[in-house]
Amino acid sequence: MRSILYLILSLLSIFVFLGVFYYAYIFETDSHDHTNVVSEVTPTQPSEKTTTQQNVAPTKDALISSMERTSLLAGLEWPAPNKIVSSVNESTDATKCSYEVINLQENYTIGSFVNVLVVARDANGLAKTHGGDFFQAKLYNSQLKASTFGFVMDHNNGTYTVQFSLLWYGPAHVSILLVHSSEAVQVLRKQRDQDPDKVIFYGYFKDGTITEQVVCNALQSPWLVGDSKSCCCKYRDPVTEESWFCRRPSSLPCYAFSQHSMGRYQANLSSLESSLLNENREKVVLGKDPVINVLPQDTVKRETRRCQPGLDTPVPAGFYFQDRWTSVVCNSQAFSTAMLISDCLKNKQVHMMGDSTLRQWFEYLVETVPTLKRLNLYTSALSGPLEAVDLQNNYVIRWRSHGIPFRTTKTPVADLHYIARQTDDLAGGRHIVVVITIWAHFTTYPVDIYMRRVATIRRSILSLLQRAPDTLVLIKSANTGFKDVYGSDWLSWQLDLILRTMFRSLPVAFIDVWQMTSCHYSPDNIHPPKEVVRNEVDLFLSFVCPQ
């Protein structure tokens, strides 16, 4: 009897064990399947699953789909010359190009438009029969310190039309600038797509008293690999999956990587390519220079919409008058005193992440507001992080670089954080303001590198806005001012278009400084003067404290 009881208990134990095993197997299988499904949710299709799986590293397709990539590349298409040039004289020459105002009138009124026809010619005076020249245009009045950006339409036959909006009263003049000929643009495109080692970086390894310096970059290119015996140390961020490569030190381990810096410029250009980039670069197109007379009127319309996320950016996005930028996107304000700035930023935490053009905002605010005190964090003045605190008004401003690749002086790798990782650490909320810009340090790479970086940032911003919808996120556009193979305005424009397109569906605000830097009277510089930076910051504050 006792033996039968033991037998029954043993059989029950076996059944229980098998049941637990089966349940565990089913649960584990379902769990893995669920994770795979979550990792394939795209940033443009948010769901509850994305908020509960923030730390799951997504697949490449989850960051940016093949369809989106194809669409982005289609938007970057640029007309190419219809023949192979053998001399710089065959490329577009600004001194032989011309423009004229179409149907010029004696007087105009505010709110009307002016159209200008541009005809492109080569150095021999022959009319071009294809498009692809990179022009920038503005309407201006030097005495009034007034100007606005003009939209250039390429007709793909050697002619271009520029449309200007008349936004202030008084006389105005046309300025057409040939930034790069269509032939020069092809050189820029080739160099960008085929030579990622035009700019290289140095990695510094240290273990006790032993130090080594090697070359590094964002791609494991043939040049970087060199002798396969010495390559490579690969550094892959576990969350963003961003990668960085350094040649392997001869005597130190890969984990001894401690500091980063800019290396050198080493573009490999033929004499013809150099001539195409430099001969006709940034020259003003000559025209009849007519005076466009705009009459004053009793009712001058100004945009009254509140500055808030989700607004489109038209062309023009605004205009300068007496050195003050008036937005036509929303009701922009002038924060002309330190008190106005501090009242706006009171009880805020402002997180700026990007490059030196955004660092200029940080520096301007510190210089302008006496109660805003910069802390000495014993970090690099160029790559940060930087922090300033106003205890009287209870707000803090932080600036960080966007992480490698970053052209800077020697700085600790630990201080260079990816924007996505930094954003993931923010709780968000109505007291949090996030400002992002990223473009200038990616102009030498194929656009896929940039697309992927922006996609990781987009996913992080989406997650932030899902857990804290009242967080204000602003995207600062690219500046103009780059004019060579390492950072042409054409290269910057292509990246800026990607940035705008990839963030278009998110509830973020765009600060269009491309137009603000392009049409200002100051000398062309990637780092604009204080007059421009002040207007950029005023527009930013108009979104922080809308009226």
Side-chain angles (χ1 to χ4, degrees):
M1 185 70 179
R2 183 177 297 177
S3 59
I4 294 175
L5 181 60
Y6 285 151
L7 178 60
I8 293 172
L9 290 174
S10 299
L11 290 173
L12 286 174
S13 299
I14 293 172
F15 286 137
V16 170
F17 173 78
L18 290 174
V20 171
F21 177 80
Y22 177 77
Y23 177 81
Y25 172 78
I26 295 299
F27 178 82
E28 186 69 17
T29 303
D30 287 344
S31 177
H32 284 306
D33 290 344
H34 176 71
T35 301
N36 289 336
V37 171
V38 171
S39 68
E40 294 174 0
V41 175
T42 63
T44 55
Q45 295 175 326
S47 71
E48 292 181 0
K49 296 178 181 179
T50 57
T51 61
T52 58
Q53 297 287 339
Q54 295 171 18
N55 296 323
V56 176
T59 64
K60 185 176 181 180
D61 289 339
L63 284 172
I64 179 169
S65 68
S66 58
M67 183 180 296
E68 182 183 18
R69 179 181 178 275
T70 300
S71 177
L72 287 169
L73 292 177
L76 300 180
E77 289 183 359
W78 192 265
N82 52 16
K83 65 176 182 178
I84 299 175
V85 299
S86 57
S87 167
V88 70
N89 289 335
E90 299 176 71
S91 67
T92 307
D93 187 332
T95 63
K96 299 300 175 64
C97 297
S98 62
Y99 74 84
E100 63 175 333
V101 177
I102 301 173
N103 298 324
L104 178 65
Q105 301 176 24
E106 183 177 354
N107 293 305
Y108 294 85
T109 57
I110 291 177
S112 56
F113 299 91
V114 165
N115 292 309
V116 176
L117 177 67
V118 181
V119 178
R121 300 182 180 86
D122 64 19
N124 297 315
L126 299 176
K128 303 296 287 289
T129 58
H130 60 81
D133 297 306
F134 188 51
F135 290 101
Q136 288 179 358
K138 68 178 179 180
L139 197 69
Y140 72 98
N141 182 311
S142 298
Q143 286 70 37
L144 296 175
K145 292 185 178 180
S147 58
T148 191
F149 182 84
F151 174 73
V152 181
M153 177 178 290
D154 188 343
H155 298 294
N156 295 321
N157 61 3
T159 66
Y160 304 79
T161 302
V162 185
Q163 184 177 80
F164 295 107
S165 295
L166 304 180
L167 300 171
W168 69 85
Y169 63 87
H173 298 270
V174 172
S175 174
I176 309 293
L177 187 71
L178 176 63
V179 180
H180 286 299
S181 68
S182 59
E183 293 76 16
V185 169
Q186 297 309 307
V187 176
L188 293 171
R189 185 201 299 269
K190 173 189 170 185
Q191 288 288 319
R192 179 194 66 188
D193 295 344
Q194 299 181 12
D195 183 13
D197 296 306
K198 291 183 295 300
V199 175
I200 64 167
F201 300 87
Y202 291 140
Y204 303 87
F205 292 71
K206 184 175 181 180
D207 187 359
T209 58
I210 303 174
T211 59
E212 286 192 54
Q213 174 185 313
V214 300
V215 292
C216 306
N217 220 327
L219 287 174
Q220 200 168 352
S221 63
W223 181 89
L224 183 66
V225 172
D227 181 1
S228 59
K229 295 180 181 178
S230 63
C231 195
C232 279
C233 293
K234 179 179 180 180
Y235 303 94
R236 188 183 188 190
D237 185 85
V239 173
T240 67
E241 295 186 323
E242 295 287 346
S243 296
W244 187 252
F245 303 92
C246 293
R247 286 185 185 171
R248 189 178 297 275
S250 59
S251 61
L252 292 177
C254 289
Y255 62 75
F257 183 32
S258 62
Q259 291 183 303
H260 162 90
S261 80
M262 167 69 189
R264 63 179 182 269
Y265 296 100
Q266 54 178 29
N268 184 20
L269 295 170
S270 68
S271 58
L272 177 59
E273 288 174 331
S274 295
S275 297
L276 289 172
L277 286 175
N278 297 317
E279 284 293 323
N280 296 310
R281 183 185 69 190
E282 198 184 20
K283 290 186 178 179
V284 175
V285 174
L286 300 178
K288 297 180 181 179
D289 192 26
V291 175
I292 299 171
N293 191 35
V294 184
L295 299 176
Q297 57 187 27
D298 295 334
T299 56
V300 178
K301 293 184 178 180
R302 291 291 181 265
E303 185 56 58
T304 58
R305 289 185 300 178
R306 285 167 55 90
C307 294
Q308 60 188 8
L311 300 177
D312 292 330
T313 303
V315 177
F319 65 97
Y320 287 104
F321 188 82
Q322 300 294 355
D323 243 356
R324 286 287 182 182
W325 179 264
T326 297
S327 172
V328 299
V329 176
C330 61
N331 183 21
S332 57
Q333 306 162 57
F335 293 81
S336 55
T337 66
M339 181 179 296
L340 287 173
I341 295 174
S342 292
D343 286 345
C344 177
L345 294 176
K346 193 171 184 177
N347 298 323
K348 299 291 186 184
Q349 296 180 38
V350 181
H351 299 267
M352 298 179 179
M353 294 172 274
D355 55 36
S356 55
T357 63
L358 187 55
R359 191 185 67 224
Q360 286 188 281
W361 290 16
F362 175 91
E363 293 164 346
Y364 168 80
L365 289 168
V366 171
E367 292 174 3
T368 305
V369 183
T371 53
L372 183 60
K373 303 299 183 182
R374 181 170 176 169
L375 302 180
N376 185 358
L377 302 181
Y378 300 96
T379 56
S380 166
L382 297 179
S383 54
L386 307 177
E387 186 169 336
V389 178
D390 187 338
L391 294 177
Q392 182 175 319
N393 295 285
N394 191 40
Y395 68 90
V396 59
I397 301 175
R398 300 183 178 96
W399 175 86
R400 295 197 77 109
S401 64
H402 55 57
I404 48 181
F406 199 76
R407 303 177 204 172
T408 185
T409 55
K410 195 172 181 180
T411 191
V413 175
D415 283 339
L416 301 174
H417 295 187
Y418 291 118
I419 290 178
R421 289 297 298 272
Q422 194 71 20
T423 307
D424 283 345
D425 290 337
L426 297 177
R430 62 188 181 89
H431 296 299
I432 303 297
V433 179
V434 176
V435 191
I436 293 170
T437 191
I438 183 167
W439 53 279
H441 297 256
F442 289 80
T443 52
T444 58
Y445 296 108
V447 293
D448 277 330
I449 296 290
Y450 182 72
M451 286 182 190
R452 195 185 192 290
R453 178 65 64 88
V454 174
T456 63
I457 297 171
R458 178 177 63 180
R459 180 187 60 187
S460 179
I461 294 298
L462 176 62
S463 180
L464 171 63
L465 293 174
Q466 285 177 331
R467 65 178 177 266
D470 51 353
T471 306
L472 177 61
V473 178
L474 304 102
I475 309 295
K476 174 191 166 295
S477 76
N479 291 22
T480 57
F482 269 162
K483 293 293 182 283
D484 58 33
V485 70
Y486 303 106
S488 160
D489 277 358
W490 182 82
L491 296 170
S492 300
W493 171 81
Q494 291 243 305
L495 300 186
D496 192 58
L497 184 60
I498 292 172
L499 183 69
R500 293 170 189 262
T501 304
M502 293 184 69
F503 271 95
R504 185 172 294 159
S505 62
L506 270 66
V508 299
F510 283 92
I511 306 295
D512 192 326
V513 303
W514 181 273
Q515 297 188 41
M516 297 174 74
T517 53
S518 176
C519 73
H520 195 258
Y521 62 81
S522 57
D524 212 16
N525 193 318
I526 194 67
H527 297 115
K530 186 175 181 179
E531 290 79 9
V532 176
V533 175
R534 180 191 69 227
N535 283 287
E536 293 176 5
V537 172
D538 280 353
L539 185 55
F540 154 66
L541 293 173
S542 297
F543 280 92
V544 178
C545 302
Q547 287 186 353

